[in-house]
Amino acid sequence: MNQHQWGFACGRISALEGQLLPEDLFHALAPLERVEDIFNRLQDTFLRDYMPSGGVHWTDWTSTIDTYFIDQTLSLRQDLPIPALADLFLLPFDYMNLKRAVLNRGQYPFGANVFSTDRLSDVAGGDASLLPDELRPLVASLAAIGGGEGESALLTDMALDGAYLRHVLAIAREVDAPLVSACLDLLVLGRAVVVLWRGAQSGQSLKRYERHFLPISAYNGVLEELIATSDTGAWRPLIPGAVGDVWEEAQQSAEEDQIMHFEQLLADRITALARQGKLQTAGPERVFGYLWALSVEGYNLKLIISGRVNGVDPDLLKRRLRACYV
Amino acid sequence: MDHQLAIEIGRGLAIAGAGLAVGLGCSGSAKGIGIASKAVGGVLSEKPDLFGRLLVLLALPGTQGFYGFITAILIFVRSGLITGEMVCTPGTGLALFVLGLGVGLALFFSATWQGEASAASIALVARRPEAFGRSIILPAMVETYAVVALLVAILAINWLTAENAVTAFIR
């Protein structure tokens, strides 16, 4: 695709990048004692437009940050030659909605973006015909899952986690940009490893993941080997490339921090890779980099605010901050 | 070769050269401005107050079209098309044709790349408006080569069509 078709969107991004919060600000927010102080500091940022007058209770912060993120992504989506690139960042919300629809829990609080509310209502009513081709058989099979509510939710989680990662890879193929593909490869394999690790830690039989979570395209072989090796301590030689290196590095942390550290290191790797897109005048890499930066910014803000509300040590919060794009 | 036919051939080649110079120059400028204008449009949708500064960067790739125009007019004047005294030999006509083609290509590519450089500068100004002065230097560096092409065109057209260069043939 002609890079110049991305010119308008990338021009917008050049202006919007100036609104991204720098790492220094997060480090300055971490030691603040009261949420009101954080609120006052953020009045000088883009978030002030999203705060209702009179202040925001700490419980509203997550939805405020999510609303800002979704608004920005949807606004940029309109200007993209390949709108699916923005969908990449909206999919986590949509899959949470889809899970609620499959489990017939009514209301979709995460903002219907890729799957409209009508489609979700149809799914809740047992009709998945309007979903994308790759999701239809999956949703139909989920409807047939028996067992109690807990079991059903667990298997639905497994199946939708797998579907989400396949969806991400399908978008990577559609965008067809090497830098974006490299970032998404890290993301997909990393998330798949985390899903299996969490399953293993919660005492689940990983064999069930083979049936409900797989296939994940090129990583199927690797993930099958991980599933066959229930001891997560022996996974390092099985995980290839940069994700394997990150896994090994995370293993140096205290046992209870390992998976959080792994996710943090993985996100930092992707950020470092995405920064290379800043060198381009126009192209999908610029858009991916900005939207990734926005998602990291949202994560860091939530981390700081929830951490301070729960009295987490500021130094620990600073260590857990993900690397910023700017 | 018949004298009249030779003049016709020379004239045809010279005019074709002029057409290539102006055609390629204007096409390149249009493409370069098109590239830069997409970036400007995106930035202005977020920061409309930058219009004045971005307009300068947007206009820079437009100069190549004028350089092509100047080259074409010079060929028309110096080869006698405007005055009605066509004095082009086939050799001069061929030289003007190749000159027009070469200058046109230089203008086309420099305008296209200047559009890219302008888009990069526009991104810089969007992030750091105070860097506007430095940002102009980037596309201006590309302009250098369009100016060199124009200077060569002016000198070559003057030398090729100088009176002593064609009088022998006319006699």
Side-chain angles (χ1 to χ4, degrees):
Chain A
M1 173 171 281
N2 187 344
Q3 297 293 100
H4 301 136
Q5 290 182 4
W6 298 83
F8 185 86
C10 291
R12 277 192 70 190
I13 286 171
S14 300
L16 290 169
E17 275 174 351
Q19 293 181 7
L20 288 171
L21 302 180
E23 206 154 320
D24 294 348
L25 180 71
F26 293 114
H27 283 271
L29 292 176
L32 296 178
E33 290 293 330
R34 300 180 312 145
V35 175
E36 288 77 12
D37 295 334
I38 297 176
F39 174 84
N40 290 334
R41 290 293 292 267
L42 291 176
Q43 283 290 335
D44 297 332
T45 70
F46 58 85
L47 272 173
R48 68 177 169 275
D49 297 336
Y50 285 78
M51 296 174 184
S53 56
V56 175
H57 191 261
W58 70 269
T59 50
D60 296 329
W61 274 104
T62 299
S63 65
T64 299
I65 294 166
D66 286 345
T67 303
Y68 173 76
F69 177 76
I70 291 172
D71 281 0
Q72 289 287 306
T73 309
L74 284 176
S75 162
L76 202 56
R77 187 182 189 276
Q78 298 169 352
D79 300 325
L80 299 182
I82 303 176
L85 185 56
D87 292 345
L88 270 178
F89 296 89
L90 299 170
L91 282 180
F93 300 99
D94 284 294
Y95 272 81
M96 283 192 275
N97 281 336
L98 187 58
K99 182 186 171 187
R100 292 185 68 84
V102 169
L103 298 175
N104 202 6
R105 288 185 180 159
Q107 295 192 334
Y108 309 111
F110 303 107
N113 308 300
V114 181
F115 311 134
S116 68
T117 309
D118 288 345
R119 285 188 192 183
L120 293 169
S121 300
D122 289 345
V123 171
D127 176 13
S129 59
L130 289 177
L131 288 179
D133 290 347
E134 58 268 28
L135 274 177
R136 256 179 276 150
L138 172 82
V139 172
S141 71
L142 288 175
I145 289 176
E149 192 178 331
E151 177 74 358
S152 175
L154 182 72
L155 295 180
T156 303
D157 268 342
M158 276 185 208
L160 289 181
D161 280 344
Y164 163 70
L165 296 179
R166 286 192 289 278
H167 204 148
V168 168
L169 287 172
I171 291 176
R173 284 193 294 275
E174 187 183 348
V175 173
D176 193 24
L179 187 64
V180 175
S181 295
C183 290
L184 293 179
D185 282 346
L186 283 178
L187 184 81
V188 167
L189 182 56
R191 291 250 167 107
V193 169
V194 171
V195 166
L196 294 181
W197 182 90
R198 289 194 199 283
Q201 294 303 306
S202 63
Q204 297 292 322
S205 163
L206 291 185
K207 284 290 172 195
R208 304 171 89 188
Y209 285 84
E210 199 161 9
R211 183 171 166 215
H212 295 287
F213 179 65
L214 299 184
I216 310 288
S217 156
Y219 301 113
N220 225 34
V222 174
L223 297 174
E224 279 173 351
E225 284 186 54
L226 294 181
I227 286 170
T229 312
S230 54
D231 175 17
T232 57
W235 278 7
R236 169 59 192 105
L238 305 175
I239 306 173
V243 179
D245 297 340
V246 170
W247 180 261
E248 186 170 8
E249 196 177 338
Q251 296 298 300
Q252 315 303 319
S253 323
E255 195 173 344
E256 65 274 16
D257 289 338
Q258 282 176 358
I259 206 66
M260 180 175 267
H261 195 201
F262 172 72
E263 288 181 304
Q264 183 185 359
L265 290 171
L266 195 68
D268 291 352
R269 283 258 179 154
I270 295 172
T271 303
L273 209 52
R275 277 197 200 112
Q276 294 176 19
K278 273 205 276 191
L279 301 176
Q280 291 197 344
T281 308
E285 298 84 355
R286 279 289 303 278
V287 179
F288 177 85
Y290 172 72
L291 290 174
W292 175 259
L294 211 55
S295 67
V296 168
E297 181 178 280
Y299 174 89
N300 282 345
L301 270 176
K302 287 180 192 173
L303 177 79
I304 293 282
I305 293 164
S306 65
R308 293 314 297 148
V309 166
N310 293 303
V312 177
D313 175 42
D315 288 333
L316 180 63
L317 285 178
K318 285 181 188 175
R319 283 200 300 277
R320 287 189 173 167
L321 282 172
R322 292 183 176 177
C324 293
Y325 184 72
V326 291
Chain B
M1 183 187 288
D2 175 61
H3 184 264
Q4 190 58 36
L5 177 63
I7 292 290
E8 287 291 328
I9 291 171
R11 180 173 69 169
L13 287 168
I15 293 172
L20 283 170
V22 73
L24 287 168
C26 289
S27 301
S29 282
K31 190 173 180 188
I33 289 180
I35 291 167
S37 64
K38 284 180 184 165
V40 168
V43 174
L44 290 181
S45 69
E46 298 294 333
K47 293 184 174 177
D49 50 310
L50 288 177
F51 177 74
R53 296 178 194 189
L54 298 186
L55 187 63
V56 177
L57 292 166
L58 175 64
L60 278 174
T63 52
Q64 281 83 345
F66 290 105
Y67 296 164
F69 173 74
I70 292 168
T71 305
I73 292 293
L74 263 178
I75 291 175
F76 292 153
V77 171
R78 298 289 298 183
S79 64
L81 179 70
I82 289 177
T83 57
E85 295 173 14
M86 288 302 299
V87 289
C88 261
T89 64
T92 304
L94 181 63
L96 289 174
F97 173 80
V98 174
L99 181 74
L101 175 64
V103 168
L105 287 173
L107 295 179
F108 179 84
F109 285 110
S110 66
T112 305
W113 285 108
Q114 196 169 34
E116 301 266 5
S118 282
S121 291
I122 287 159
L124 172 61
V125 173
R127 281 182 217 160
R128 298 174 53 202
E130 72 278 9
F132 173 66
R134 274 169 283 166
S135 73
I136 291 184
I137 294 172
L138 307 179
M141 296 290 280
V142 185
E143 183 81 13
T144 311
Y145 301 96
V147 173
V148 168
L150 176 66
L151 286 176
V152 168
I154 292 170
L155 293 173
I157 291 165
N158 278 325
W159 289 334
L160 283 167
T161 56
E163 199 175 337
N164 58 356
V166 290
T167 42
F169 182 78
I170 293 168
R171 281 175 191 158

